[in-house]
Amino acid sequence: APVTQTVGVNSKLPDGSHILMWDFDDISLEEVWMNLEDIQHQYSLPRIYILETKPGSNYIAYCFKRCTWRECVAIIASTPCVDWNFFKYGVYRGHFTLRVGPKNGRWPKLKTILPSPIPEDVKLEELQSWVKYETLPDNYNSKLIQIPKHGWE
């Protein structure tokens, strides 16, 4: 499969805590906004920054709230429409990762900030875990293999 290289930032902070990160694919900005606004109120979170990674359909979000790993996982798991692969691989690795570099020439673009009276308790400089990684390009279509059931149900 063809791959493209980019750069990402991890949720894990030097003290072992995490910031909140979300990834949403094939969804409208309005749905992302509503889902994150509900989570923000439910968990009394500070501002949430929503960025567009693919015009009109893919978004990521950050919240600079210091959380334990367990809290981070619980909050992201309770967010409707979060990308399952983002969640699954993050839990498996013990941290979440979001792209900050370009993919197919597109950089993440800030779309909106959900306001909050709750102060942020993590500074941008505390994000010290960065990674170069490979991802599939947008135009890659994998071919699915159909396996006959043969009575296995």
Side-chain angles (χ1 to χ4, degrees), residues 106-120:
R106 290 188 324 271
W107 290 81
K109 177 181 172 188
L110 181 64
K111 292 302 280 186
T112 191
I113 301 171
L114 302 184
S116 172
I118 310 292
E120 296 173 342

Side-chain angles (χ1 to χ4, degrees), residues 12-144:
K12 194 167 187 177
L13 300 169
D15 68 2
S17 61
H18 293 260
I19 66 163
L20 296 167
M21 299 178 162
W22 295 267
D23 185 26
F24 300 92
D25 291 346
D26 302 316
I27 188 172
S28 71
L29 178 58
E30 292 74 23
E31 285 181 276
V32 171
W33 173 290
M34 288 187 306
N35 289 330
L36 287 175
E37 194 174 51
D38 288 345
I39 291 297
Q40 186 182 45
H41 292 305
Q42 184 179 343
Y43 291 97
S44 300
L45 299 176
R47 289 182 291 220
I48 297 177
Y49 301 80
I50 302 174
L51 296 88
E52 183 180 67
T53 56
K54 185 175 182 185
S57 67
N58 292 13
Y59 301 89
I60 57 176
Y62 295 91
C63 180
F64 294 96
K65 165 74 178 153
R66 189 176 309 273
C67 299
T68 66
W69 177 238
R70 189 175 291 273
E71 290 167 336
C72 184
V73 169
I75 292 169
I76 295 168
S78 66
T79 306
C81 304
V82 74
D83 181 69
W84 173 246
N85 284 327
F86 166 78
F87 181 75
K88 174 178 63 175
Y89 293 122
V91 169
Y92 177 76
R93 290 190 318 262
H95 62 267
F96 294 102
T97 303
L98 285 179
R99 176 169 68 85
V100 294
K103 179 177 177 182
N104 299 321
R106 290 188 324 271
W107 290 81
K109 177 181 172 188
L110 181 64
K111 292 302 280 186
T112 191
I113 301 171
L114 302 184
S116 172
I118 310 292
E120 296 173 342
D121 61 6
V122 175
K123 291 182 172 27
L124 194 57
E125 303 83 56
E126 292 183 73
L127 296 177
Q128 296 179 11
S129 180
W130 302 83
V131 62
K132 284 186 180 178
Y133 69 97
E134 295 178 334
T135 185
L136 294 173
D138 286 342
N139 59 356
Y140 179 71
N141 289 321
S142 62
K143 294 183 179 164
L144 297 176

